[in-house]
Amino acid sequence: MIDLKQNVKYVKGVGPNKVKLLNKLNIYSLKDLITYYPRDYEDRSIITKLEDVKDGEKYTIEGIALTEVNVRYAGKYKSFAKLIIKDDTDNCVVTWFNQPYVKDKIKRGEKYRFYGKISKKNGNIELISPTFDNVNDTKNTGKIIPIYPLTNSLTQNGIRAIIENGLKMIDGEIQETLPEKYIKEYKLLDINTATNKIHFPGNFEEFEKARIRLAFDELLSMQLGLLALRNENQVEVRGIKYDSKIEMSDVINNLPFKLTNAQLKVLEEINSDMEKDRPMNRLLQGDVGSGKTIVSMVAAYKAAKSGYQVAVLAPTMILAKQHLKNYKNILEQYGIVCEALVGGMTAKNKKEVLEKVANGEVDILIGTHALLEENVIFKNLGLVITDEQHRFGVKQRAKIVAKGNNPDVLVMTATPIPRTLALILYGDLDISIIDELPPNRKKVETYAVSKQYEERVNNFVKKEVENGRQAYIVCPLVEESEDDETSNLKAVTELYEKYKNEVFKEYKIKYLHGKMKSKEKDEIMEKFKNGEIQILLSTTVIEVGVDVPNASVMVIENAERFGLAQLHQLRGRVGRGEYASYCILKYNGGSDIVRQRMEIMTKTDNGFTIAEKDLQLRGSGEFFGTKQHGMPEFKIANLFKDMNLLKEVQALAIQITNNDPNLEKVENKPLKIMVKENFSSKAEMTI
Ligand code: ADP
Ligand code: MG
């Protein structure tokens, strides 16, 4: 068996320079190389006659060279090579720029196969810089060619050759990852064939078979991994049995508003979990603004009143602070002590809070990732609440849970995942859904506009502000890498200068950015909340949870760069008060897909519908692919397309786990390795 972990430099044709380029693509090992899957395929096997070609399209043409290749130089490095070819329907001029060496590869009178873009003007056909083979070869043409996701460091031909060499070196010696009986039962390709065919399929049927086999592995790893986690959670663990005499209704009846039926139903489920001695592990899903926070407070009330401590984990400091305020508002009157722990506190302050938490004086501790640190010790942690669960990885949840003695866990998310998917993805959690918004919620009027409406949008913002409202303007992350807040900063500051000094110079405008000091961020947020700032320009740090009811406009710059789920989250920042509210999506680029996506946003305000449409339009890869969602990223599987496969795989995973919970049987050994390699890294996924 071949060692797939070996350095990619041992592959033929990979010298020191190529190693560097490959590393840039995150390819370090032989395994990384062969699992660097094509993003698309070009079918160069279909030969088109010259009489059938259309301007601007790419074709494979077979033709005889009527001339020698004629090279003309224009300066030292510039050259044009020209050749005339013919097939039995027409003639065609072939042109190459700066590739004088083609002259030596083509002989007059011989037949070649070309693949490239056609330009057709006044009946004259030209083939521009095609790749080509001798008609008996199929190196670059005459078959299905994989197209890899590349930055500009490597060429398609370059990486294709390297991957080809990698596969040759492996020569069918990849250790099989699935037990033989499942390969038979599910009629799958073996791992070696699948790996070869995903790169170099002979036809699209072969490709699909290869894709299914590899997707099967990915999905099975995830399902087995999730089930293992779930079993860990469930093995006869005795949790806390909360006092049934502490009635949630005591706090519910005393709230400033009436809870919706959906909120009440969900609270019943939570209450029943809390009164059982098995630890609660519940996912609370509800669209933006459905009122998850209040639900978590009622659960926290029950825990605190029963004599236990509660940890509330929030993804951003802004949100943690906001929660603290809300929790205090509702719960302090019952003698429940709430505190927050966030980055940027003074050492003294922090120490005080930590002491009070350790000796039990604090009932509810709200905080960011800071809560996960080792020095945070609870006296009696009984309930863990994580807000916007999609921002936390499974491992992080485990970390906070370990601070208690089998505490109950409630994770909340607004990520609107269709229910079936949620059940499957969150295989380790029970699910409650708030499927109803509080009454009197205003629908947020949504408009998608292109650049030419800029001035009207600005005037509209001004008008709202003059009426006493406030506005958000949100810019996207600029770079591909979403962690790169630095380049992001530049975009925001540039726009800020323009808005502050020109467009909105009569108004109080500030900007907010993830890289700012926490104190600064707090101050700005505070000022926005109490109305001292009228327009807040921001990156997506305000995406989750922020609640400023007086804000009535959300303008989103470059809306085409956001996922629909994210746009929906952002839109959820307005329409939270009594005022009519608006979301304006400024978009560039007019591709059909962009327009369709904008239309979904303007026509739909239901997060679940949006999620489903987004999935249909883009496939789950992109929908779940961003780190934003903390969802498993699959290289091959497509959660939308592969829904049926996912169901089959889930059933299989349950069967396997029931028979062999720890995958200890000899036949399951490969599975154990696969789960370890594929799943644990995903479980660590964070914000
Ligand atoms: P999300 O589910 O997005 O976290 P929040 O919990 O922030 O939503 O709730 C949004 C707003 O709705 C808050 O201002 C909250 O006080 C209010 N709210 C929650 N439940 C109700 C209700 N049943 N009736 C009226 N307002 C409610
Ligand atoms: Mg919330």
Side-chain angles (χ1 to χ4, degrees), residues 656-682:
I656 293 173
T657 313
N658 284 345
N659 290 330
D660 183 13
N662 297 317
L663 302 178
E664 277 158 343
K665 292 190 179 157
V666 181
E667 60 175 44
N668 289 333
K669 200 175 152 216
L671 290 178
K672 189 163 191 152
I673 297 170
M674 182 171 82
V675 174
K676 214 173 140 209
E677 286 190 4
N678 292 351
F679 182 74
S680 30
S681 60
K682 281 169 190 146

Side-chain angles (χ1 to χ4, degrees), residues 302-476:
K302 177 150 182 135
K305 276 299 183 189
S306 307
Y308 291 91
Q309 287 172 300
V310 181
V312 182
L313 201 53
T316 63
M317 194 165 59
I318 292 172
L319 206 54
K321 293 262 169 95
Q322 182 180 291
H323 279 336
L324 178 66
K325 209 168 123 198
N326 292 335
Y327 270 70
K328 278 188 166 169
N329 258 343
I330 304 282
L331 296 178
E332 250 179 0
Q333 55 187 305
Y334 304 101
I336 295 171
V337 180
C338 309
E339 279 290 354
L341 193 74
V342 292
M345 283 166 79
T346 65
K348 183 162 162 271
N349 209 330
K350 193 169 167 188
K351 196 165 156 250
E352 263 171 36
V353 172
L354 285 177
E355 269 170 25
K356 286 195 204 159
V357 172
N359 66 27
E361 280 174 63
V362 168
D363 298 306
I364 298 181
L365 182 65
I366 300 166
T368 54
H369 286 86
L371 291 197
L372 305 175
E373 280 165 27
E374 260 167 44
N375 58 3
V376 183
I377 297 161
F378 289 86
K379 181 158 183 242
N380 195 13
L381 178 61
L383 174 63
V384 172
I385 297 167
T386 70
D387 194 10
E388 304 302 346
Q389 139 77 11
H390 62 285
R391 298 234 162 185
F392 297 100
V394 179
K395 283 245 168 102
Q396 287 174 305
R397 205 166 77 214
K399 216 165 169 178
I400 182 94
V401 165
K403 291 179 188 286
N405 199 0
N406 301 323
D408 281 5
V409 177
L410 181 66
V411 300
M412 306 195 288
T413 183
T415 304
I417 317 153
R419 187 182 169 87
T420 24
L421 262 188
L423 281 167
I424 291 167
L425 285 177
Y426 289 106
D428 63 330
L429 298 166
D430 297 309
I431 297 181
S432 292
I433 297 183
I434 308 184
D435 51 6
E436 170 187 9
L437 294 181
N440 307 329
R441 267 298 140 74
K442 296 246 164 26
K443 185 171 180 289
V444 179
E445 294 282 342
T446 304
Y447 303 95
V449 301
S450 55
K451 199 94 186 152
Q452 74 213 68
Y453 287 85
E454 182 119 43
E455 204 175 317
R456 279 171 71 176
V457 173
N458 294 340
N459 288 338
F460 181 73
V461 170
K462 288 180 195 169
K463 199 181 105 218
E464 282 292 301
V465 169
E466 297 200 338
N467 286 336
R469 301 288 77 72
Q470 288 162 283
Y472 297 98
I473 302 176
V474 175
C475 317

Side-chain angles (χ1 to χ4, degrees), residues 257-260 263 286-294 322-323 326 387-388 414 434 438-439 441 545 547 549 573 576:
F257 42 74
K258 220 171 136 252
L259 290 188
T260 61
Q263 285 171 317
D287 206 348
V288 186
S290 60
K292 295 183 291 293
T293 315
I294 196 76
Q322 182 180 291
H323 279 336
N326 292 335
D387 194 10
E388 304 302 346
I434 308 184
R441 267 298 140 74
D547 193 28
R573 296 311 107 217
R576 301 174 83 85

